[in-house]
Amino acid sequence: MSLTVIGSGVGGTATAHFLRQHFGPDLQIDVFEKGSVGGRLATVTVNNQDYESGGSVIHSLNLHMQDFVKQIGLKYRRNVAGKTAVFNGKQIILEETDWYLLDLFRLWWRYGFSFIRLQMWVEETMEKFMRIYKYQAHGYAFSSVEQLLHSLGGGTFINMTRHTLSESLLELGVSQRFIDEVIAAVMRANYGQSVSVPAFVGAVSLAGAQTNLWAVEGGNKLVCSGLLTLAKANLIQAKVTTVSLHKTADTIQYKLDFEAPKERGSELYDIVIVAAPLQNGMANITFENFDPPIPEMSGSYHHTVASIVHGYLNSTYFGFPDPKLFPFASICTVVDDDLFFNTVGNVCPVNVSTEFKRKQPQDAAVWKVFSQQPLEKKDLKTLFKSYYSVQVTDWQAYPEYGSTDKIPPIILHDNMYYLNGIEWAASAMEMSSVAAKNLALLAYHRWNQQTDMIDQKELMHKIKTEL
Ligand SMILES: Cc1cc2nc3c(=O)[nH]c(=O)nc-3n(C[C@H](O)[C@H](O)[C@H](O)COP(=O)(O)OP(=O)(O)OC[C@H]3O[C@@H](n4cnc5c(N)ncnc54)[C@H](O)[C@@H]3O)c2cc1C
Ligand SMILES: CC(C)=CCC/C(C)=C/CC/C(C)=C/CSC[C@H](N)C(=O)O
């Protein structure tokens, strides 16, 4: 039999790796990539050092990512601590200090118990989310994102995809002021969006703002090339243009047409995994001969522009005329029509970890600015006194949450599957990895007609009573 994966981001390469584990060593796994291996995991080079321009941080409880790093033989790079402040376009409204207890006291003074309530909610969500690792280790798969979420957190998790973050937090007793000043800043930092995103992605974003984060030494994209090697996959550098159903009297196969810069080709496969977003013609794949047709994916992706700037930050803009007194490594912002950026943060090169020393604020350093539009010259002049270089990556970054209320299907056809629907619950490296394991299990069980391993209810109980 023959298997193929379209897309070599972390989702596609993790799928190839898990397909190899489940289907065994003998068959060929082709992986198509139209751009660079890694997809939304990428680096840019400044002064001979590489910096993450896409997916950058990984949570300490993201167990698939941890496992990949170990199996490939890569090293962890811990997030280097630095103080953060929230800026409202006119002044700093909240700032971290060197004293944790003082920070806690200030939070309590300004927002009451909102901070503690929020922490408990995020911890509870993470704890339930982590059930997936047990289910997947026991081989269980889910045929839809909704079934997967329901198995982890029941109706609560499903509701968290249907209600906004602000509604859910207000219900918990978190204050409006805390939502406007802190949660809004985190959402702008991590998904470039507002507190109107669904509560589930809100919780993931808040987990991504905790302190226990790490990255991969050398760059997160090394996970993708490493997974391709582990999977002994055959990488084909070409753009898949068409997938058409190819039926004979006793077989169903899928014909992929593809284009490389200098050649075109086509190939037949028994199982196809689409591991690239299908919205807005992003993957630009035409599906032919399917009856009923493969549904159009509704919704759109959010533009996030990452500008890596090497220069001198204009600390005066943030109310610090003397740069030596500017104490922050990153500045988040709250919603303001005049604000042209979401965050600006001093970044660490991908190959430097513990010994990384942040530059003095008056020295030239490398900064990452996230904005929704490319920065204009006047924006750069506002944020920086002067700069040596600017490197811009305009990402179709993650779903525009709220642009549709439908979570895309996983099963597109008998043996054709879609990975990126999970991003509509939340987009993150670990979410694509969880989806990858689920797809490999689902494809395997459906191929072997093991229906008792798919969409089982009461899984916690089942696992506890399994021999
Ligand atoms: C700026 C930014 C910051 C982020 N920060 C974080 C973070 O800190 N932590 C975190 O966990 N997540 C973060 N994310 C999200 C994370 O990067 C993504 O969720 C994840 O990388 C998605 O991986 P994927 O494999 O599902 O998709 P992709 O990485 O998009 O991979 C899809 C691949 O398919 C290829 N492709 C598309 N169409 C075709 C075709 N027709 N033929 C062949 N190949 C095709 C593409 O070229 C691409 O390489 C961030 C994303 C962005 C953009
Ligand atoms: C999937 C689970 C349970 C946790 C993942 C938590 C996590 C690491 C979320 C990050 C989400 C995200 C899209 C962040 C984007 S921007 C990140 C950062 N601000 C940057 O500078 O790149």
Side-chain angles (χ1 to χ4, degrees):
M1 69 179 298
S2 52
L3 304 179
T4 189
V5 179
I6 305 173
S8 74
V10 66
T13 53
T15 307
H17 165 64
F18 290 128
L19 285 171
R20 173 67 72 214
Q21 279 185 347
H22 295 294
F23 283 87
D26 298 330
L27 44 85
Q28 173 155 329
I29 302 176
D30 287 344
V31 175
F32 285 91
E33 175 54 57
K34 69 171 180 176
S36 306
V37 169
R40 277 171 276 170
L41 307 185
T43 51
V44 297
T45 309
V46 181
N47 263 355
N48 297 322
Q49 300 266 36
D50 292 342
Y51 296 85
E52 298 286 359
S53 61
S56 61
V57 293
I58 304 165
H59 194 275
S60 61
L61 296 176
N62 287 170
L63 301 190
H64 283 312
M65 287 301 292
Q66 264 192 41
D67 196 41
F68 298 156
V69 166
K70 277 191 201 131
Q71 285 200 52
I72 298 166
L74 293 166
K75 285 193 190 142
Y76 299 95
R77 180 168 68 82
R78 280 208 63 77
N79 225 20
V80 180
K83 288 198 271 291
T84 301
V86 180
F87 180 65
N88 70 0
K90 289 167 199 77
Q91 61 190 46
I92 301 280
I93 54 169
L94 195 65
E95 60 188 282
E96 250 183 303
T97 69
D98 281 327
W99 297 280
Y100 179 67
L101 284 179
L102 175 64
D103 290 346
L104 273 187
F105 176 76
R106 280 185 170 179
L107 284 172
W108 170 78
W109 188 253
R110 201 168 166 101
Y111 309 111
F113 288 106
S114 293
F115 179 66
I116 310 286
R117 290 196 176 110
L118 181 85
Q119 290 270 54
M120 285 166 63
W121 181 72
V122 174
E123 292 312 319
E124 196 187 314
T125 307
M126 282 300 286
E127 213 173 292
K128 287 182 181 160
F129 177 80
M130 291 191 71
R131 292 175 181 167
I132 193 64
Y133 302 115
K134 264 209 171 122
Y135 300 163
Q136 293 190 329
H138 282 76
Y140 290 105
F142 304 94
S143 65
S144 69
V145 174
E146 288 88 342
Q147 292 270 7
L148 186 151
L149 290 178
H150 194 273
S151 79
L152 303 179
T156 311
F157 266 23
I158 297 293
N159 276 333
M160 283 171 73
T161 64
R162 296 184 182 151
H163 291 105
T164 66
L165 177 62
S166 57
E167 277 166 2
S168 307
L169 293 183
L170 284 171
E171 235 168 67
L172 268 182
V174 171
S175 75
Q176 187 67 54
R177 190 178 190 191
F178 190 70
I179 293 174
D180 293 342
E181 294 182 359
V182 180
I183 311 287
V186 173
M187 290 316 301
R188 268 170 80 86
N190 278 355
Y191 286 97
Q193 295 170 58
S194 74
V195 293
S196 306
V197 300
F200 188 82
V201 62
V204 168
S205 171
L206 289 159
Q210 293 178 332
T211 47
N212 48 352
L213 304 173
W214 57 280
V216 179
E217 195 171 314
N220 294 330
K221 67 179 180 188
L222 294 184
V223 168
C224 304
S225 42
L227 286 171
L228 285 180
T229 309
L230 276 187
K232 296 195 169 66
N234 174 40
L235 175 67
I236 303 176
Q237 284 284 350
K239 175 183 185 306
V240 174
T241 53
T242 312
V243 180
S244 42
L245 189 61
H246 193 266
K247 265 185 178 173
T248 61
D250 46 17
T251 61
I252 291 185
Q253 285 189 307
Y254 304 94
K255 181 163 90 64
L256 265 62
D257 295 331
F258 51 88
E259 282 174 4
K262 287 190 183 144
E263 53 173 344
R264 284 160 185 257
S266 62
E267 198 65 60
L268 284 172
Y269 294 99
D270 297 300
I271 296 180
V272 175
I273 312 286
V274 181
L278 288 173
Q279 275 77 11
N280 283 355
M282 280 164 76
N284 212 357
I285 300 171
T286 309
F287 295 96
E288 281 177 358
N289 299 342
F290 290 92
D291 186 18
I294 303 300
E296 288 281 319
M297 303 296 163
S298 56
S300 54
Y301 267 59
H302 184 90
H303 273 271
T304 288
V305 181
S307 307
I308 310 279
V309 184
H310 182 205
Y312 297 86
L313 192 77
N314 178 15
S315 56
T316 309
Y317 176 58
F318 298 105
F320 289 81
D322 181 353
K324 290 194 192 103
L325 300 178
F326 183 79
F328 307 114
S330 55
I331 302 273
C332 298
T333 57
V334 284
V335 189
D336 178 301
D337 288 342
D338 294 335
L339 263 179
F340 53 88
F341 71 102
N342 294 344
T343 53
V344 52
N346 177 216
V347 281
C348 171
V350 296
N351 55 351
V352 180
S353 52
T354 40
E355 68 274 19
F356 178 68
K357 289 267 175 301
R358 288 194 192 282
K359 290 269 168 55
Q360 292 300 308
Q362 67 274 21
D363 294 336
V366 179
W367 299 87
K368 178 152 65 177
V369 186
F370 279 125
S371 55
Q372 188 154 1
Q373 303 294 333
L375 296 175
E376 293 177 20
K377 267 243 159 66
K378 68 173 170 42
D379 302 330
L380 284 163
K381 280 197 163 160
T382 304
L383 275 180
F384 296 93
K385 278 188 190 133
S386 62
Y387 49 88
Y388 299 110
S389 66
V390 184
Q391 302 202 41
V392 179
T393 317
D394 190 344
W395 294 104
Q396 299 231 55
Y398 9 70
E400 183 76 56
Y401 293 103
S403 63
T404 177
D405 51 9
K406 285 199 195 102
I407 298 186
I410 292 179
I411 301 174
L412 296 179
H413 192 257
D414 293 5
N415 292 306
M416 182 165 76
Y417 302 93
Y418 180 45
L419 178 124
N420 294 75
I422 196 137
E423 291 192 69
W424 291 82
S427 175
M429 292 174 237
E430 187 69 7
M431 295 301 287
S432 290
S433 310
V434 162
K437 177 75 181 175
N438 183 58
L439 278 196
L441 284 167
L442 186 65
Y444 180 76
H445 294 321
R446 279 166 59 92
W447 187 260
N448 294 300
Q449 280 141 39
Q450 294 167 340
T451 49
D452 59 330
M453 296 304 284
I454 302 170
D455 293 340
Q456 292 298 300
K457 304 274 176 286
E458 305 295 339
L459 270 186
M460 239 348 162
H461 176 72
K462 239 190 163 93
I463 284 170
K464 278 188 191 143
T465 53
E466 253 174 27
L467 285 177

